[in-house]
Amino acid sequence: MMGNTYPSVVLERLLRGARLEILPTASVADQVHGHVEPGRSLSVTASPAKGLEATLQLAEQLAGAYHVIPHLAARMVERAALPDLVARLTEAGITEIFVPGGDAEPTDQTFTSALDLLIELDSLGSPFTGVGITGYPESHPGIDDDVIVQSMWDKRRYATAVVSNMTFDDDRVGQWLERVRRRGVELPVWVGVPGPVDPARLLRMASTIGVGDSMRFLRKQRSVFTRMVMPGFSTTRFAHRMAVLGTADRLGIAGLHLYTFNQVAQTEAWRRTQLSKVAELRDPAAGP
């Protein structure tokens, strides 16, 4: 059963609280300061080519003005270094992290999985008030769906939210959320969606994230490029569909996680334009 909240009210909430995911490149901090108002939430990715240090430095650089959520990719984090890493982030005022397994190959010194790292953080006294884990509305190319759902179940007690991988199919998101809830995972979900970015600029940006990593990026995002340029997908329409789903409280949609691919100005311009239109979309009975 749907809740009593109108989709337009949910849409405004989703747009106002939308998180922006950025990659740790040399110019992105200036883009953020130029186009994103202080206090917003920013998710900073981790790249095997650039190393975890690039993520940490950017997170520290932005933490004074924004709510920064660095990615601690488990296979990039050395076990012995974790206490110092935690101390460094907390000293910078960072209270939330996102813990994926990551694309790097694990070594004898690193954690082997996200769950492995989450358990160790728990043993350190759960130093972060917010901990995100990965969800996959669309199938992972190398992991069976049942394994993905089981992994989410195993990690749920160490986390405060699920952040979904990038998705284009709103119907599939709804089906996936129903399945997650039936399985008993009750964590709020941030639904990942590509911002309204220029695919040509996206291809050029790939060359800036490291030679080896850019090839990995292109392989992983091949379907992303294809689906972004195909007729039918619209970030705006997707956001509206999430607002409709968001009226069902049981689905637990916390907000939108916008993959900017460092096209920060374009993504923020879209978000502000949509916010300006929300008043026109409100149902008359919803009130001011």
Side-chain angles (χ1 to χ4, degrees):
M1 179 183 297
M2 291 290 187
N4 295 321
T5 307
Y6 287 99
S8 56
V9 175
V10 178
L11 179 61
E12 182 173 16
R13 173 179 66 82
L14 296 180
L15 291 168
R16 287 196 184 282
R19 294 181 170 186
L20 304 178
E21 180 169 301
I22 57 176
L23 294 92
T25 59
S27 64
V28 72
D30 288 340
Q31 294 183 54
V32 168
H33 286 302
H35 299 284
V36 182
E37 65 268 25
R40 292 282 304 288
S41 294
L42 304 170
S43 183
V44 183
T45 66
S47 156
K50 288 186 174 294
L52 191 59
E53 184 61 25
T55 299
L56 301 178
Q57 288 185 7
L58 181 59
E60 290 171 321
Q61 184 178 354
L62 295 172
Y66 302 96
H67 176 69
V68 182
I69 308 161
H71 291 206
L72 298 188
R75 299 181 188 98
M76 295 173 63
V77 177
E78 294 186 2
R79 289 179 180 274
L82 183 62
D84 288 341
L85 189 157
V86 167
R88 177 178 174 180
L89 293 178
T90 54
E91 184 177 352
I94 291 170
T95 60
E96 185 171 359
I97 59 173
F98 174 63
V99 182
D103 293 328
E105 289 295 326
T107 70
D108 292 340
Q109 287 75 43
T110 65
F111 291 93
T112 60
S113 68
L115 180 60
D116 193 17
L117 176 53
L118 290 167
I119 292 172
E120 188 64 20
L121 284 171
D122 184 62
S123 74
L124 294 175
S126 301
F128 300 102
T129 57
V131 178
I133 57 175
T134 307
Y136 290 92
E138 303 196 21
S139 297
H140 189 287
I143 309 175
D144 186 79
D145 287 348
D146 289 336
V147 175
I148 290 288
V149 174
Q150 180 64 47
S151 174
M152 191 185 305
W153 170 263
D154 293 339
K155 291 183 286 189
R156 78 198 187 288
R157 59 169 294 203
Y158 304 104
T160 59
V162 174
V163 181
S164 89
N165 199 22
M166 195 183 315
T167 183
F168 297 80
D169 188 331
D170 47 80
D171 288 333
R172 186 170 294 181
V173 171
Q175 296 164 7
W176 173 73
L177 286 169
E178 293 281 9
R179 183 183 180 192
V180 167
R181 300 316 180 199
R182 286 197 304 271
R183 184 64 188 266
V185 177
E186 299 178 351
L187 297 172
V189 173
W190 291 85
V191 179
V193 60
V197 300
D198 177 359
R201 289 184 61 194
L202 181 56
L203 284 167
R204 291 196 297 271
M205 186 278 301
S207 66
T208 72
I209 62 176
V211 176
D213 201 45
S214 63
M215 292 307 297
R216 184 182 301 108
F217 177 91
L218 291 169
R219 284 196 299 270
K220 286 181 61 178
Q221 306 303 338
R222 183 180 304 160
S223 64
V224 173
F225 299 141
T226 302
R227 296 170 77 174
M228 287 173 73
V229 300
M230 285 178 63
F233 179 75
S234 159
T235 302
T236 300
R237 188 180 71 176
F238 188 95
H240 282 244
R241 288 289 300 136
M242 289 306 100
V244 173
L245 288 177
T247 63
D249 293 340
R250 73 178 187 282
L251 296 182
I253 297 177
L256 296 178
H257 183 94
L258 295 172
Y259 291 85
T260 71
F261 298 102
N262 284 15
Q263 295 187 35
V264 176
Q266 187 167 337
T267 303
E268 272 297 277
W270 168 83
R271 188 186 69 88
R272 290 171 180 169
T273 297
Q274 297 308 309
L275 271 173
S276 72
K277 296 178 178 179
V278 166
E280 304 170 13
L281 300 172
R282 286 200 182 108
D283 300 86

